[in-house]
Amino acid sequence: MALLFRMPQLGSTMEEGTILRWLKQEGDTVKSGEVLLEIETDKASMEVESEVDGVVRKILFAQNEIVPITRPIAIIGAAEENIDQLLAEINGKSGAAELSTPSAPASQEKLAAGASSAAAPFIPQGKIDVSPRAKRLAEGNGIALSALAGRGTGPEGRVIEKDVLAFLAAAETAPTLSDVYGLKAARTTPLAAKIADDLGVDLSQLASGLPGSRVRSEDVLRHAESTRQPAAPVKPLGGTKIIKMGGMRKRIADNIVKSTFTAPHVTLTLVVDMTEAAAFRAKLLPEIEKVYGVRISYTDIIVKAVARALDDHPLINAALIGDEIHQFSEKNIGVAVALEEGLIVPVIKDVTSKTIGAVSAEFKQLVERARTGKFTPDDLSGGTFSISNLGGFGIDVFDPVINPPQAGILGVCRIAEKPVVRDKQVVIRSMMNLCLSFDHRVLDGAPAAQFLQRVQILLENPLLILV
């Protein structure tokens, strides 16, 4: 019997996937466990395997199409089986309302009001449960999340993408903010005001949301980008190679822009004497190799030291989510891994509960899966703090970019033999710079410096890591 192959949900936050390429075409035989296609989520691209044996009878979505989770994307069945009835059912269920998007965005004022009648919309109390995709769509169209309260049709009243689309359609006939509330100007966060001043944005044009809402930095940046005059086209020079910004590179670019323009970065640099850590590693090498089958690296030791320091300084083991600072009890450390096509950050979960050997073995497995394209969304999710190690490239100082929404990231530089003064004597020691970038909205310089000092103490006295 022919079966529908649906867009899988490869992570708790995934709502849709982009079909990068089909590895099997219509008429091809496929076996259970064989790779059928490659998809891209909001976190990574990965291969998807067939769960059944059969023949690919029909491919319902082509390369580069974006498909919501659970939507049928192919039909797999017997070679001579009639699938007309199944196709008719699919066509009947994929209603235009679910797939459509507004032909033109409503004005900012109408979107903010978002009412289906002239009555003032309900003003919610407390937090609103909004899916990530719905939130992006709302923010992209200038809709205050507070205006979506009570409109969710997802599980337990969660606001999902189709609710935002319905809101957009209703907003076309809604009264404006000025009509309903008589608003003259928007309340503005200090950072938004500064960015608006720098970019020459008129804040009076950004009044959006219900009374009490505030114009934020991302609202100003979005408005500035939407009103920016397009640059004159540049004719490529001879021999120019043009690379389309997409896939992993596009995700990296989006995250960098989001981090840079929303999190006020401050970077602190501190020098660490790694001589004792080098001796510590040398002593552990044979035993860890015998027990875990891996060679412990300096990165493994640094990961354990960072997790231990986060125990003592929990302020930086946090994330800014909306207007709330979430401090995490678990220490899930993400470590940046360079790939040919870009950069990903696999996460070592609950580091404090694991030995250095276990951390080393798990990290090497994560790196192997990352470099062979076999990683899962869970490998990249749940991070509470990140590390970026450029020491292997001979880098002495750099400003690491925070991985949003986390509050901090530690940059690790090369270890080099340098002359230093110890007990009034010049001696040669193994020295390394650590560069901590932190989100100044979440914590201030003093607690960030104390955390960095604690990492220094642990690395210079590595037996303390085991306490």
Side-chain angles (χ1 to χ4, degrees):
M1 180 177 178
L3 298 173
L4 296 175
F5 188 90
R6 300 176 183 274
M7 174 63 72
Q9 184 173 15
L10 302 175
S12 59
T13 62
M14 177 181 171
E15 293 190 338
E16 64 185 17
T18 302
I19 296 174
L20 295 182
R21 59 176 180 145
W22 287 95
L23 280 300
K24 296 289 184 178
Q25 303 301 320
E26 292 183 4
D28 289 350
T29 300
V30 63
K31 295 184 178 298
S32 178
E34 194 173 4
V35 178
L36 182 61
L37 76 160
E38 185 178 355
I39 67 171
E40 180 182 69
T41 71
D42 59 340
K43 293 184 179 294
S45 58
M46 58 199 70
E47 296 175 339
V48 177
E49 300 174 352
S50 173
E51 298 178 352
V52 296
D53 296 342
V55 174
V56 180
R57 296 297 310 281
K58 185 69 175 178
I59 291 176
L60 303 173
F61 289 91
Q63 178 178 317
N64 295 324
E65 288 196 83
I66 300 173
V67 186
I69 58 172
T70 74
R71 178 71 58 82
I73 57 176
I75 299 175
I76 299 177
E80 304 301 326
E81 188 174 357
N82 190 312
I83 61 172
D84 290 345
Q85 181 62 33
L86 200 56
L87 286 170
E89 291 178 7
I90 293 171
N91 292 332
K93 289 180 181 178
S94 58
E98 188 176 0
L99 296 175
S100 65
T101 56
S103 57
S107 69
Q108 290 284 351
E109 288 193 336
K110 287 187 177 182
L111 292 179
S116 57
S117 68
F122 170 69
I123 300 177
Q125 301 293 325
K127 187 176 180 181
I128 301 168
D129 187 11
V130 184
S131 72
R133 179 152 182 84
K135 184 178 180 181
R136 288 196 299 271
L137 181 62
E139 290 177 345
N141 286 278
I143 302 173
L145 296 182
S146 55
L148 299 171
R151 300 174 182 271
T153 60
E156 300 180 0
R158 191 183 203 198
V159 176
I160 57 178
E161 183 183 18
K162 72 175 184 178
D163 301 322
V164 182
L165 294 174
F167 183 92
L168 284 165
E172 289 293 344
T173 58
T176 68
L177 274 178
S178 298
D179 295 335
V180 178
Y181 302 111
L183 296 182
K184 300 300 181 183
R187 294 177 62 226
T188 308
T189 65
L191 179 59
K194 182 180 185 305
I195 294 174
D197 184 58
D198 292 342
L199 299 179
V201 172
D202 182 0
L203 287 172
S204 65
Q205 300 179 28
L206 295 179
S208 62
L210 298 176
S213 66
R214 307 179 76 187
V215 174
R216 302 183 182 279
S217 57
E218 52 264 38
D219 302 321
V220 179
L221 292 167
R222 187 165 51 244
H223 179 79
E225 178 64 23
S226 66
T227 57
R228 182 174 60 88
Q229 292 296 322
V234 178
K235 183 178 180 181
L237 300 175
T240 299
K241 179 181 180 181
I242 298 180
I243 302 172
K244 181 178 175 58
M245 180 71 83
M248 181 178 290
R249 191 73 257 159
K250 180 64 163 59
R251 288 195 303 274
I252 293 171
D254 290 343
N255 279 336
I256 293 293
V257 170
K258 177 181 179 181
S259 179
T260 302
F261 283 104
T262 60
H265 283 56
V266 176
T267 302
L268 307 177
T269 301
L270 183 147
V271 182
V272 180
D273 186 340
M274 292 291 287
T275 306
E276 293 301 322
F280 179 70
R281 174 177 175 269
K283 290 177 181 178
L284 291 180
L285 268 173
E287 191 65 21
I288 288 181
E289 193 163 5
K290 181 172 69 174
V291 175
Y292 294 96
V294 295
R295 287 180 61 82
I296 184 175
S297 68
Y298 286 109
T299 298
D300 303 328
I301 296 172
I302 293 168
V303 167
K304 279 294 291 182
V306 165
R308 181 70 182 81
L310 290 173
D311 275 335
D312 301 325
H313 301 277
L315 283 177
I316 199 166
N317 192 48
L320 183 60
I321 301 175
D323 289 330
E324 299 174 338
I325 297 175
H326 293 205
Q327 286 188 15
F328 306 107
S329 56
E330 286 192 355
K331 283 72 185 176
N332 301 336
I333 310 298
V335 183
V337 174
L339 306 178
E340 270 190 40
E341 62 273 30
L343 179 80
I344 64 171
V345 185
V347 178
I348 308 168
K349 305 291 181 17
D350 199 13
V351 173
T352 49
S353 69
K354 297 170 181 172
T355 66
I356 293 180
V359 166
S360 180
E362 182 176 338
F363 179 52
K364 287 171 177 57
Q365 291 171 3
L366 287 168
V367 172
E368 176 64 21
R369 289 202 294 271
R371 290 180 173 162
T372 57
K374 302 296 184 183
F375 57 87
T376 67
D378 186 61
D379 290 340
L380 310 180
S381 64
T384 63
F385 187 87
S386 295
I387 294 172
S388 177
N389 190 340
L390 295 180
F393 301 97
I395 300 302
D396 282 323
V397 178
F398 68 105
D399 293 333
V401 178
I402 297 168
N403 188 14
Q406 295 171 19
I409 181 171
L410 184 68
V412 178
C413 302
R414 68 167 177 153
I415 299 174
E417 298 294 313
K418 295 182 180 180
V420 297
V421 176
R422 293 288 186 269
D423 299 323
K424 298 184 179 180
Q425 298 292 323
V426 176
V427 294
I428 302 299
R429 307 285 287 184
S430 298
M431 308 302 290
M432 177 184 74
N433 287 337
L434 292 178
C435 307
L436 173 69
S437 291
F438 65 95
D439 187 340
H440 214 320
R441 298 173 301 175
V442 178
L443 73 163
D444 298 323
Q450 290 167 352
F451 164 77
L452 192 56
Q453 282 183 324
R454 184 59 177 161
V455 176
Q456 178 194 43
I457 291 170
L458 291 168
L459 290 176
E460 293 184 348
N461 304 274
L463 288 177
L464 294 177
I465 297 173
L466 306 179
V467 176

PDB file of all heavy atoms in Angstrom, residues 222-254:
ATOM      1  N   ARG A 222      15.354  47.126  11.363  1.00  0.00           N
ATOM      2  CA  ARG A 222      14.485  46.614  10.308  1.00  0.00           C
ATOM      3  C   ARG A 222      13.905  47.764   9.486  1.00  0.00           C
ATOM      4  O   ARG A 222      13.834  47.703   8.255  1.00  0.00           O
ATOM      5  CB  ARG A 222      13.385  45.766  10.939  1.00  0.00           C
ATOM      6  CG  ARG A 222      12.506  45.037   9.942  1.00  0.00           C
ATOM      7  CD  ARG A 222      11.675  43.929  10.618  1.00  0.00           C
ATOM      8  NE  ARG A 222      10.960  44.417  11.772  1.00  0.00           N
ATOM      9  CZ  ARG A 222      11.178  44.009  13.015  1.00  0.00           C
ATOM     10  NH1 ARG A 222      12.113  43.113  13.260  1.00  0.00           N
ATOM     11  NH2 ARG A 222      10.472  44.499  14.026  1.00  0.00           N
ATOM     12  N   HIS A 223      13.481  48.828  10.174  1.00  0.00           N
ATOM     13  CA  HIS A 223      12.923  49.983   9.468  1.00  0.00           C
ATOM     14  C   HIS A 223      13.982  50.649   8.594  1.00  0.00           C
ATOM     15  O   HIS A 223      13.711  51.021   7.446  1.00  0.00           O
ATOM     16  CB  HIS A 223      12.371  50.982  10.484  1.00  0.00           C
ATOM     17  CG  HIS A 223      11.787  52.217   9.861  1.00  0.00           C
ATOM     18  ND1 HIS A 223      10.531  52.234   9.304  1.00  0.00           N
ATOM     19  CD2 HIS A 223      12.308  53.461   9.686  1.00  0.00           C
ATOM     20  CE1 HIS A 223      10.293  53.437   8.829  1.00  0.00           C
ATOM     21  NE2 HIS A 223      11.345  54.199   9.047  1.00  0.00           N
ATOM     22  N   ALA A 224      15.196  50.782   9.126  1.00  0.00           N
ATOM     23  CA  ALA A 224      16.276  51.413   8.355  1.00  0.00           C
ATOM     24  C   ALA A 224      16.586  50.610   7.107  1.00  0.00           C
ATOM     25  O   ALA A 224      16.808  51.168   6.028  1.00  0.00           O
ATOM     26  CB  ALA A 224      17.523  51.564   9.227  1.00  0.00           C
ATOM     27  N   GLU A 225      16.580  49.276   7.256  1.00  0.00           N
ATOM     28  CA  GLU A 225      16.887  48.425   6.103  1.00  0.00           C
ATOM     29  C   GLU A 225      15.779  48.513   5.057  1.00  0.00           C
ATOM     30  O   GLU A 225      16.035  48.568   3.853  1.00  0.00           O
ATOM     31  CB  GLU A 225      17.056  46.975   6.564  1.00  0.00           C
ATOM     32  CG  GLU A 225      17.338  45.967   5.449  1.00  0.00           C
ATOM     33  CD  GLU A 225      18.656  46.227   4.746  1.00  0.00           C
ATOM     34  OE1 GLU A 225      19.543  46.869   5.332  1.00  0.00           O
ATOM     35  OE2 GLU A 225      18.785  45.795   3.584  1.00  0.00           O
ATOM     36  N   SER A 226      14.509  48.557   5.520  1.00  0.00           N
ATOM     37  CA  SER A 226      13.392  48.580   4.574  1.00  0.00           C
ATOM     38  C   SER A 226      13.310  49.892   3.798  1.00  0.00           C
ATOM     39  O   SER A 226      12.778  49.942   2.688  1.00  0.00           O
ATOM     40  CB  SER A 226      12.074  48.346   5.316  1.00  0.00           C
ATOM     41  OG  SER A 226      11.798  49.423   6.194  1.00  0.00           O
ATOM     42  N   THR A 227      13.829  50.976   4.381  1.00  0.00           N
ATOM     43  CA  THR A 227      13.752  52.282   3.718  1.00  0.00           C
ATOM     44  C   THR A 227      15.056  52.675   3.032  1.00  0.00           C
ATOM     45  O   THR A 227      15.136  53.739   2.435  1.00  0.00           O
ATOM     46  CB  THR A 227      13.390  53.377   4.741  1.00  0.00           C
ATOM     47  OG1 THR A 227      14.360  53.376   5.806  1.00  0.00           O
ATOM     48  CG2 THR A 227      12.009  53.122   5.332  1.00  0.00           C
ATOM     49  N   ARG A 228      16.052  51.810   3.150  1.00  0.00           N
ATOM     50  CA  ARG A 228      17.350  52.128   2.542  1.00  0.00           C
ATOM     51  C   ARG A 228      17.250  52.114   1.025  1.00  0.00           C
ATOM     52  O   ARG A 228      16.644  51.224   0.432  1.00  0.00           O
ATOM     53  CB  ARG A 228      18.402  51.104   3.002  1.00  0.00           C
ATOM     54  CG  ARG A 228      19.791  51.357   2.464  1.00  0.00           C
ATOM     55  CD  ARG A 228      20.777  50.388   3.099  1.00  0.00           C
ATOM     56  NE  ARG A 228      20.427  49.010   2.822  1.00  0.00           N
ATOM     57  CZ  ARG A 228      20.830  48.350   1.743  1.00  0.00           C
ATOM     58  NH1 ARG A 228      21.590  48.950   0.841  1.00  0.00           N
ATOM     59  NH2 ARG A 228      20.480  47.096   1.556  1.00  0.00           N
ATOM     60  N   GLN A 229      17.826  53.106   0.396  1.00  0.00           N
ATOM     61  CA  GLN A 229      17.831  53.157  -1.059  1.00  0.00           C
ATOM     62  C   GLN A 229      18.749  52.073  -1.613  1.00  0.00           C
ATOM     63  O   GLN A 229      19.876  51.916  -1.157  1.00  0.00           O
ATOM     64  CB  GLN A 229      18.341  54.532  -1.545  1.00  0.00           C
ATOM     65  CG  GLN A 229      17.399  55.675  -1.231  1.00  0.00           C
ATOM     66  CD  GLN A 229      16.081  55.529  -1.962  1.00  0.00           C
ATOM     67  OE1 GLN A 229      16.041  55.095  -3.109  1.00  0.00           O
ATOM     68  NE2 GLN A 229      14.985  55.891  -1.293  1.00  0.00           N
ATOM     69  N   PRO A 230      18.274  51.289  -2.570  1.00  0.00           N
ATOM     70  CA  PRO A 230      19.128  50.235  -3.109  1.00  0.00           C
ATOM     71  C   PRO A 230      20.358  50.812  -3.799  1.00  0.00           C
ATOM     72  O   PRO A 230      20.283  51.835  -4.480  1.00  0.00           O
ATOM     73  CB  PRO A 230      18.210  49.524  -4.118  1.00  0.00           C
ATOM     74  CG  PRO A 230      17.148  50.529  -4.463  1.00  0.00           C
ATOM     75  CD  PRO A 230      16.963  51.365  -3.238  1.00  0.00           C
ATOM     76  N   ALA A 231      21.455  50.157  -3.583  1.00  0.00           N
ATOM     77  CA  ALA A 231      22.702  50.607  -4.209  1.00  0.00           C
ATOM     78  C   ALA A 231      22.673  50.330  -5.706  1.00  0.00           C
ATOM     79  O   ALA A 231      21.998  49.412  -6.174  1.00  0.00           O
ATOM     80  CB  ALA A 231      23.888  49.893  -3.568  1.00  0.00           C
ATOM     81  N   ALA A 232      23.380  51.153  -6.435  1.00  0.00           N
ATOM     82  CA  ALA A 232      23.464  50.931  -7.876  1.00  0.00           C
ATOM     83  C   ALA A 232      24.133  49.595  -8.152  1.00  0.00           C
ATOM     84  O   ALA A 232      25.086  49.215  -7.465  1.00  0.00           O
ATOM     85  CB  ALA A 232      24.274  52.056  -8.521  1.00  0.00           C
ATOM     86  N   PRO A 233      23.619  48.823  -9.116  1.00  0.00           N
ATOM     87  CA  PRO A 233      24.212  47.513  -9.407  1.00  0.00           C
ATOM     88  C   PRO A 233      25.677  47.651  -9.807  1.00  0.00           C
ATOM     89  O   PRO A 233      26.060  48.575 -10.525  1.00  0.00           O
ATOM     90  CB  PRO A 233      23.349  46.982 -10.563  1.00  0.00           C
ATOM     91  CG  PRO A 233      22.686  48.195 -11.151  1.00  0.00           C
ATOM     92  CD  PRO A 233      22.518  49.158 -10.030  1.00  0.00           C
ATOM     93  N   VAL A 234      26.461  46.712  -9.274  1.00  0.00           N
ATOM     94  CA  VAL A 234      27.885  46.717  -9.572  1.00  0.00           C
ATOM     95  C   VAL A 234      28.179  45.644 -10.607  1.00  0.00           C
ATOM     96  O   VAL A 234      27.824  44.478 -10.424  1.00  0.00           O
ATOM     97  CB  VAL A 234      28.715  46.443  -8.295  1.00  0.00           C
ATOM     98  CG1 VAL A 234      30.194  46.394  -8.616  1.00  0.00           C
ATOM     99  CG2 VAL A 234      28.416  47.504  -7.248  1.00  0.00           C
ATOM    100  N   LYS A 235      28.811  46.036 -11.680  1.00  0.00           N
ATOM    101  CA  LYS A 235      29.154  45.087 -12.722  1.00  0.00           C
ATOM    102  C   LYS A 235      30.372  44.275 -12.278  1.00  0.00           C
ATOM    103  O   LYS A 235      31.408  44.844 -11.921  1.00  0.00           O
ATOM    104  CB  LYS A 235      29.473  45.825 -14.027  1.00  0.00           C
ATOM    105  CG  LYS A 235      29.768  44.882 -15.185  1.00  0.00           C
ATOM    106  CD  LYS A 235      30.030  45.673 -16.456  1.00  0.00           C
ATOM    107  CE  LYS A 235      30.316  44.735 -17.617  1.00  0.00           C
ATOM    108  NZ  LYS A 235      30.592  45.491 -18.863  1.00  0.00           N
ATOM    109  N   PRO A 236      30.239  42.929 -12.246  1.00  0.00           N
ATOM    110  CA  PRO A 236      31.372  42.115 -11.797  1.00  0.00           C
ATOM    111  C   PRO A 236      32.592  42.316 -12.680  1.00  0.00           C
ATOM    112  O   PRO A 236      32.482  42.459 -13.900  1.00  0.00           O
ATOM    113  CB  PRO A 236      30.837  40.684 -11.908  1.00  0.00           C
ATOM    114  CG  PRO A 236      29.343  40.820 -11.937  1.00  0.00           C
ATOM    115  CD  PRO A 236      29.079  42.117 -12.612  1.00  0.00           C
ATOM    116  N   LEU A 237      33.747  42.337 -12.056  1.00  0.00           N
ATOM    117  CA  LEU A 237      34.993  42.418 -12.800  1.00  0.00           C
ATOM    118  C   LEU A 237      35.273  41.086 -13.492  1.00  0.00           C
ATOM    119  O   LEU A 237      34.733  40.049 -13.113  1.00  0.00           O
ATOM    120  CB  LEU A 237      36.148  42.775 -11.857  1.00  0.00           C
ATOM    121  CG  LEU A 237      36.018  44.106 -11.109  1.00  0.00           C
ATOM    122  CD1 LEU A 237      37.173  44.255 -10.126  1.00  0.00           C
ATOM    123  CD2 LEU A 237      36.009  45.270 -12.090  1.00  0.00           C
ATOM    124  N   GLY A 238      36.123  41.123 -14.458  1.00  0.00           N
ATOM    125  CA  GLY A 238      36.487  39.903 -15.168  1.00  0.00           C
ATOM    126  C   GLY A 238      37.073  38.887 -14.216  1.00  0.00           C
ATOM    127  O   GLY A 238      37.928  39.200 -13.393  1.00  0.00           O
ATOM    128  N   GLY A 239      36.639  37.634 -14.336  1.00  0.00           N
ATOM    129  CA  GLY A 239      37.163  36.574 -13.488  1.00  0.00           C
ATOM    130  C   GLY A 239      36.538  36.515 -12.108  1.00  0.00           C
ATOM    131  O   GLY A 239      36.968  35.733 -11.262  1.00  0.00           O
ATOM    132  N   THR A 240      35.513  37.337 -11.858  1.00  0.00           N
ATOM    133  CA  THR A 240      34.872  37.350 -10.547  1.00  0.00           C
ATOM    134  C   THR A 240      34.044  36.082 -10.352  1.00  0.00           C
ATOM    135  O   THR A 240      33.279  35.689 -11.228  1.00  0.00           O
ATOM    136  CB  THR A 240      33.953  38.565 -10.397  1.00  0.00           C
ATOM    137  OG1 THR A 240      34.736  39.749 -10.528  1.00  0.00           O
ATOM    138  CG2 THR A 240      33.272  38.570  -9.043  1.00  0.00           C
ATOM    139  N   LYS A 241      34.211  35.450  -9.188  1.00  0.00           N
ATOM    140  CA  LYS A 241      33.393  34.290  -8.828  1.00  0.00           C
ATOM    141  C   LYS A 241      32.276  34.761  -7.910  1.00  0.00           C
ATOM    142  O   LYS A 241      32.537  35.387  -6.877  1.00  0.00           O
ATOM    143  CB  LYS A 241      34.244  33.238  -8.124  1.00  0.00           C
ATOM    144  CG  LYS A 241      33.463  32.002  -7.701  1.00  0.00           C
ATOM    145  CD  LYS A 241      34.373  31.000  -6.990  1.00  0.00           C
ATOM    146  CE  LYS A 241      33.579  29.769  -6.563  1.00  0.00           C
ATOM    147  NZ  LYS A 241      34.440  28.778  -5.856  1.00  0.00           N
ATOM    148  N   ILE A 242      31.035  34.523  -8.264  1.00  0.00           N
ATOM    149  CA  ILE A 242      29.890  34.956  -7.478  1.00  0.00           C
ATOM    150  C   ILE A 242      29.330  33.762  -6.725  1.00  0.00           C
ATOM    151  O   ILE A 242      28.993  32.739  -7.329  1.00  0.00           O
ATOM    152  CB  ILE A 242      28.815  35.589  -8.363  1.00  0.00           C
ATOM    153  CG1 ILE A 242      29.398  36.838  -9.044  1.00  0.00           C
ATOM    154  CG2 ILE A 242      27.570  35.932  -7.554  1.00  0.00           C
ATOM    155  CD1 ILE A 242      28.467  37.563  -9.944  1.00  0.00           C
ATOM    156  N   ILE A 243      29.249  33.881  -5.402  1.00  0.00           N
ATOM    157  CA  ILE A 243      28.760  32.797  -4.557  1.00  0.00           C
ATOM    158  C   ILE A 243      27.444  33.237  -3.933  1.00  0.00           C
ATOM    159  O   ILE A 243      27.383  34.265  -3.245  1.00  0.00           O
ATOM    160  CB  ILE A 243      29.778  32.466  -3.447  1.00  0.00           C
ATOM    161  CG1 ILE A 243      31.123  32.079  -4.067  1.00  0.00           C
ATOM    162  CG2 ILE A 243      29.257  31.357  -2.545  1.00  0.00           C
ATOM    163  CD1 ILE A 243      32.235  31.914  -3.060  1.00  0.00           C
ATOM    164  N   LYS A 244      26.395  32.495  -4.184  1.00  0.00           N
ATOM    165  CA  LYS A 244      25.075  32.829  -3.632  1.00  0.00           C
ATOM    166  C   LYS A 244      25.098  32.638  -2.115  1.00  0.00           C
ATOM    167  O   LYS A 244      25.573  31.634  -1.611  1.00  0.00           O
ATOM    168  CB  LYS A 244      24.003  31.940  -4.257  1.00  0.00           C
ATOM    169  CG  LYS A 244      22.594  32.239  -3.741  1.00  0.00           C
ATOM    170  CD  LYS A 244      21.582  31.369  -4.438  1.00  0.00           C
ATOM    171  CE  LYS A 244      20.182  31.572  -3.855  1.00  0.00           C
ATOM    172  NZ  LYS A 244      19.730  32.956  -3.929  1.00  0.00           N
ATOM    173  N   MET A 245      24.597  33.639  -1.394  1.00  0.00           N
ATOM    174  CA  MET A 245      24.522  33.566   0.058  1.00  0.00           C
ATOM    175  C   MET A 245      23.329  32.705   0.436  1.00  0.00           C
ATOM    176  O   MET A 245      22.180  33.124   0.344  1.00  0.00           O
ATOM    177  CB  MET A 245      24.374  34.958   0.657  1.00  0.00           C
ATOM    178  CG  MET A 245      24.288  34.988   2.175  1.00  0.00           C
ATOM    179  SD  MET A 245      25.818  34.610   3.003  1.00  0.00           S
ATOM    180  CE  MET A 245      26.603  36.224   2.953  1.00  0.00           C
ATOM    181  N   GLY A 246      23.593  31.500   0.846  1.00  0.00           N
ATOM    182  CA  GLY A 246      22.520  30.587   1.206  1.00  0.00           C
ATOM    183  C   GLY A 246      23.021  29.483   2.100  1.00  0.00           C
ATOM    184  O   GLY A 246      24.208  29.402   2.432  1.00  0.00           O
ATOM    185  N   GLY A 247      22.106  28.593   2.522  1.00  0.00           N
ATOM    186  CA  GLY A 247      22.482  27.458   3.327  1.00  0.00           C
ATOM    187  C   GLY A 247      23.163  27.858   4.624  1.00  0.00           C
ATOM    188  O   GLY A 247      22.762  28.790   5.313  1.00  0.00           O
ATOM    189  N   MET A 248      24.219  27.133   4.981  1.00  0.00           N
ATOM    190  CA  MET A 248      24.926  27.368   6.233  1.00  0.00           C
ATOM    191  C   MET A 248      25.504  28.777   6.296  1.00  0.00           C
ATOM    192  O   MET A 248      25.481  29.437   7.331  1.00  0.00           O
ATOM    193  CB  MET A 248      26.035  26.332   6.422  1.00  0.00           C
ATOM    194  CG  MET A 248      26.799  26.495   7.722  1.00  0.00           C
ATOM    195  SD  MET A 248      28.078  25.250   7.970  1.00  0.00           S
ATOM    196  CE  MET A 248      27.067  23.808   8.242  1.00  0.00           C
ATOM    197  N   ARG A 249      26.052  29.269   5.162  1.00  0.00           N
ATOM    198  CA  ARG A 249      26.646  30.608   5.161  1.00  0.00           C
ATOM    199  C   ARG A 249      25.603  31.665   5.505  1.00  0.00           C
ATOM    200  O   ARG A 249      25.863  32.614   6.226  1.00  0.00           O
ATOM    201  CB  ARG A 249      27.248  30.876   3.779  1.00  0.00           C
ATOM    202  CG  ARG A 249      28.116  32.107   3.680  1.00  0.00           C
ATOM    203  CD  ARG A 249      29.436  31.900   4.374  1.00  0.00           C
ATOM    204  NE  ARG A 249      29.520  32.543   5.667  1.00  0.00           N
ATOM    205  CZ  ARG A 249      30.383  32.201   6.614  1.00  0.00           C
ATOM    206  NH1 ARG A 249      31.222  31.207   6.424  1.00  0.00           N
ATOM    207  NH2 ARG A 249      30.397  32.824   7.753  1.00  0.00           N
ATOM    208  N   LYS A 250      24.388  31.490   4.986  1.00  0.00           N
ATOM    209  CA  LYS A 250      23.297  32.435   5.264  1.00  0.00           C
ATOM    210  C   LYS A 250      22.899  32.377   6.734  1.00  0.00           C
ATOM    211  O   LYS A 250      22.653  33.408   7.367  1.00  0.00           O
ATOM    212  CB  LYS A 250      22.090  32.119   4.365  1.00  0.00           C
ATOM    213  CG  LYS A 250      20.887  33.043   4.557  1.00  0.00           C
ATOM    214  CD  LYS A 250      21.223  34.471   4.157  1.00  0.00           C
ATOM    215  CE  LYS A 250      19.979  35.307   3.950  1.00  0.00           C
ATOM    216  NZ  LYS A 250      19.121  35.384   5.155  1.00  0.00           N
ATOM    217  N   ARG A 251      22.837  31.163   7.305  1.00  0.00           N
ATOM    218  CA  ARG A 251      22.487  31.035   8.718  1.00  0.00           C
ATOM    219  C   ARG A 251      23.534  31.719   9.597  1.00  0.00           C
ATOM    220  O   ARG A 251      23.206  32.401  10.568  1.00  0.00           O
ATOM    221  CB  ARG A 251      22.361  29.558   9.113  1.00  0.00           C
ATOM    222  CG  ARG A 251      21.133  28.866   8.558  1.00  0.00           C
ATOM    223  CD  ARG A 251      20.887  27.561   9.280  1.00  0.00           C
ATOM    224  NE  ARG A 251      22.030  26.666   9.214  1.00  0.00           N
ATOM    225  CZ  ARG A 251      22.270  25.820   8.220  1.00  0.00           C
ATOM    226  NH1 ARG A 251      21.436  25.788   7.188  1.00  0.00           N
ATOM    227  NH2 ARG A 251      23.312  25.028   8.240  1.00  0.00           N
ATOM    228  N   ILE A 252      24.813  31.516   9.249  1.00  0.00           N
ATOM    229  CA  ILE A 252      25.888  32.146  10.016  1.00  0.00           C
ATOM    230  C   ILE A 252      25.772  33.663   9.924  1.00  0.00           C
ATOM    231  O   ILE A 252      25.882  34.383  10.925  1.00  0.00           O
ATOM    232  CB  ILE A 252      27.260  31.671   9.509  1.00  0.00           C
ATOM    233  CG1 ILE A 252      27.457  30.183   9.819  1.00  0.00           C
ATOM    234  CG2 ILE A 252      28.387  32.479  10.141  1.00  0.00           C
ATOM    235  CD1 ILE A 252      28.689  29.577   9.165  1.00  0.00           C
ATOM    236  N   ALA A 253      25.541  34.158   8.703  1.00  0.00           N
ATOM    237  CA  ALA A 253      25.423  35.607   8.506  1.00  0.00           C
ATOM    238  C   ALA A 253      24.268  36.180   9.322  1.00  0.00           C
ATOM    239  O   ALA A 253      24.404  37.226   9.978  1.00  0.00           O
ATOM    240  CB  ALA A 253      25.236  35.917   7.017  1.00  0.00           C
ATOM    241  N   ASP A 254      23.128  35.506   9.307  1.00  0.00           N
ATOM    242  CA  ASP A 254      21.967  35.990  10.056  1.00  0.00           C
ATOM    243  C   ASP A 254      22.253  36.029  11.554  1.00  0.00           C
ATOM    244  O   ASP A 254      21.886  36.985  12.246  1.00  0.00           O
ATOM    245  CB  ASP A 254      20.748  35.093   9.783  1.00  0.00           C
ATOM    246  CG  ASP A 254      20.213  35.250   8.367  1.00  0.00           C
ATOM    247  OD1 ASP A 254      20.567  36.257   7.718  1.00  0.00           O
ATOM    248  OD2 ASP A 254      19.452  34.373   7.921  1.00  0.00           O
TER     249      ASP A 254
END
